[in-house]
Amino acid sequence: MSNEVLIGSRCDGCANVAYPAATRCLRCGGDDTQRLELARTGTVWAHTVQRFAPKSPPYVPPAGGFVPFAVGYVELADGVRVEAVLDCTDVGELTGAEVTLVATAPVPRFATASVLAAGGEGR
Amino acid sequence: MSENVFIVGAGLSRFGRQPDLTGRQMAVQAITAALADAGVAWPDVQVAFGGSDGAGLADTLVADLGLTGIPFTNVKNGCATGGSALVSAINAIRAGAADVALAVGFDKHPRGAFDPRPEDWGLPSGYGEAGLMVTTQFFAMKIARYMTEFGITEPTLAKVAAKAFRNGALNPNAWRREGLGEVEIAGSAMVNDPLTQYMFCSPGEGGAAIVVASEAAARRLGGRPVKLRAVSARTRAFGSFEVFSPAIQGAGRPTSVSTDAATAAFEAAGVAPNDIDVAQLQDTEAGAEIMHLAECGFCEHGEQERWIAEGLTEIGGRLPVNTDGGCIANGEPIGASGLRQVHEIVTQLRGEAGERQVPNAPRLGFTHVYGAPGISACTVLEAVSR
């Protein structure tokens, strides 16, 4: 498993947490923000499944070709919900699921416990 | 804001695929229809605002309309382009800068989903590579979360889309005029769970134009004016959940720009949502209409399940919604949709909607557009008794 972390920011003035890291706070407009390493686990707040291949470019499908994938927002204890690709063994397990960060690029990617237990990439 | 403003003319081009026409030509058709409806000629228009997302610059239309030398401002505000143009035209009347003003919106999109570029949205290119620059994902995630939170069921999504196609079949100008049943809608290809192909509107083609006038000009023109009770436009506040957001910031249920715009419109009009007799709500997909019913204040969150089961949003129901078939049956020419909505409410308040006319002479109407990246415009319109 990767040891990467997502880098966000916390506002010195109002403590709002932003991702990606922000130089100006969206809540209070203050410009004193500190780099913040975001939690590596969270729960799925909302999700869907991308059933059709997005247009290429810009989409770069996997080497084996497009397969439907899950995408959603993961609620972190830091107080921010981060959009991510979600690795799962079955989309039915995603609602409210606990997930763990497995990659930060090209976008955040989280995996469910069942994927991690299988030691694999999931789908 | 003491100056009363009236809508004196409304016009549309046809909606739907028109291979032989450009978007600009559809705009000219819509303007010509709106001017005729108002009983004015192009030289009577003293100021104009308009735009398209991808079909050209509105101010170039003077080459087809006549070089009268008036100020003509281009507007580009995504799905709220028409709404923003209308706000500007209304403000010109209120400011006393003109007695007759025009708002126009048009577009002509190719088939298939929109393909926005991450850079245009201030996002890293990784979002495009990973397949997250897909607008439909946002709508699906938002309604999926909403359904879990407030007990809206999948059959209700299909019911809303079926109503749109049913109303479209009654509208001679709609793109989709063949009724499509709930079974067919629910069984069509899954796009982004829980939304299927026929629950979404499609990028489309069309033009819409509205002529507004001061009270003095409206009186002089005679015609069939409709009174503008209020107009509002807002961008998103902190904590909102929008298309192409790398994160949702803030705690709790996301804020809604539609709520902000609708609240402002109702306050300015001095009426409540339950005073409204007919409404047009942004229906990018079936779930959006459901959520916008509550976000705009017409019902509590979750009450939509019962409202739709009881047919309250049907023509003839307590609050008919999207009586012309909405975006789902008319398609989504981005620049035109907001003004198409106003055209439909004007038509309903005049009692001229033919087969799809809301019964019992509706007096108050409401329009709501919502678009990326978190913008909304609303109007409250009132029939003028004659």
Side-chain angles (χ1 to χ4, degrees):
Chain A
M1 197 193 304
S2 99
N3 290 315
E4 292 178 281
V5 288
L6 294 172
I7 305 301
S9 61
R10 176 180 276 132
C11 173
D12 284 347
C14 75
N16 179 54
V17 173
Y19 176 82
T23 51
R24 186 175 287 277
C25 177
L26 286 187
R27 181 156 72 188
C28 72
D31 55 7
D32 289 322
T33 57
Q34 304 298 324
R35 180 182 189 273
L36 178 70
E37 292 192 356
L38 298 180
R40 301 187 67 254
T41 60
T43 56
V44 175
W45 181 79
H47 71 277
T48 186
V49 180
Q50 180 59 31
R51 296 278 175 187
F52 63 93
K55 281 184 185 172
S56 297
Y59 177 58
V60 181
F66 170 78
V67 284
F69 61 89
V71 52
Y73 283 80
V74 176
E75 187 155 37
L76 306 178
D78 304 292
V80 67
R81 285 158 276 192
V82 172
E83 188 179 26
V85 171
L86 301 173
D87 290 337
C88 57
T89 47
D90 184 319
V91 295
E93 68 177 333
L94 282 175
T95 301
E98 289 209 15
V99 289
T100 302
L101 184 73
V102 292
T104 58
V107 296
R109 189 176 192 104
F110 287 76
T112 60
S114 64
V115 171
L116 296 175
E121 275 276 299
R123 42 178 290 189
Chain B
M1 298 227 307
S2 57
E3 176 73 82
N4 284 324
V5 178
F6 291 80
I7 293 174
V8 294
L12 298 178
S13 75
R14 268 191 49 223
F15 273 54
R17 300 271 170 235
Q18 297 160 78
D20 300 331
L21 289 179
T22 65
R24 290 180 71 267
Q25 286 172 317
M26 293 179 224
V28 171
Q29 289 181 352
I31 292 169
T32 303
L35 294 175
D37 185 44
V40 299
W42 172 244
D44 298 318
V45 175
Q46 295 161 313
V47 61
F49 301 86
S52 78
D53 196 63
L57 297 169
D59 69 337
T60 67
L61 296 171
V62 294
D64 301 271
L65 296 164
L67 302 179
T68 57
I70 62 165
F72 198 139
T73 302
N74 290 322
V75 178
K76 189 161 181 171
N77 249 171
C79 302
T81 293
S84 293
L86 183 63
V87 168
S88 300
I90 289 163
N91 285 341
I93 303 288
R94 285 173 170 167
D99 285 316
V100 177
L102 174 84
V104 60
F106 57 101
D107 254 310
K108 183 182 177 81
H109 304 295
R111 284 169 195 283
F114 294 115
D115 51 349
R117 305 181 325 137
E119 311 83 74
D120 291 345
W121 292 77
L123 294 174
S125 58
Y127 284 84
E129 279 170 45
L132 301 193
M133 292 303 290
V134 179
T135 54
T136 54
Q137 289 169 1
F138 159 73
F139 294 103
M141 288 188 278
K142 187 178 173 194
I143 186 62
R145 167 80 197 181
Y146 194 88
M147 289 164 76
T148 306
E149 201 167 346
F150 295 109
I152 305 297
T153 63
E154 290 188 18
T156 297
L157 296 175
K159 281 193 175 73
V160 169
K163 170 179 69 69
F165 290 116
R166 212 160 39 241
N167 291 352
L170 299 175
N171 174 5
N173 203 57
W175 180 10
R176 315 280 192 199
R177 299 214 55 211
E178 289 159 18
L180 206 53
E182 292 168 36
V183 173
E184 244 175 313
I185 291 163
S188 62
M190 188 62 79
V191 173
N192 294 120
D193 309 36
L195 298 172
T196 67
Q197 181 183 352
Y198 295 138
M199 292 175 186
F200 275 100
C201 75
S202 301
E205 304 182 15
I210 298 292
V211 180
V212 291
S214 64
E215 185 155 15
R219 193 174 295 126
R220 189 173 69 240
L221 289 167
R224 289 127 43 247
V226 164
K227 186 174 183 181
L228 178 93
R229 287 287 296 264
V231 64
S232 66
R234 289 286 185 277
T235 59
R236 65 196 187 279
F238 175 77
S240 77
F241 175 24
E242 310 293 349
V243 71
F244 305 145
S245 303
I248 306 166
Q249 297 184 32
R253 191 188 311 156
T255 58
S256 159
V257 68
S258 296
T259 299
D260 297 342
T263 302
F266 285 123
E267 276 178 18
V271 302
N274 64 13
D275 294 323
I276 299 296
D277 301 312
V278 56
Q280 292 274 99
L281 304 178
Q282 179 83 33
D283 60 331
T284 311
E285 39 77 32
E289 179 175 318
I290 293 168
M291 294 183 285
H292 290 150
L293 269 170
E295 289 182 25
C296 292
F298 293 105
C299 65
E300 296 298 321
H301 292 290
E303 263 192 313
Q304 302 98 319
E305 183 75 6
R306 177 179 66 79
W307 271 50
I308 288 154
E310 293 179 1
L312 302 189
T313 59
E314 303 278 342
I315 296 169
R318 205 195 78 48
L319 179 72
V321 174
N322 294 332
T323 47
D324 65 349
C327 288
I328 292 177
N330 286 280
E332 169 66 311
I334 286 179
S337 288
L339 298 179
R340 171 185 53 74
Q341 294 184 327
V342 174
H343 176 278
E344 175 64 7
I345 294 297
V346 166
T347 305
Q348 291 285 350
L349 295 182
R350 286 170 168 176
E352 295 173 354
E355 280 190 276
R356 65 182 192 283
Q357 177 64 45
V358 170
N360 305 320
R363 186 179 73 86
L364 284 173
F366 177 84
T367 69
H368 157 266
V369 288
Y370 165 81
I375 183 164
S376 180
C378 298
T379 68
V380 177
L381 303 176
E382 182 179 14
V384 173
S385 47
R386 299 191 291 143

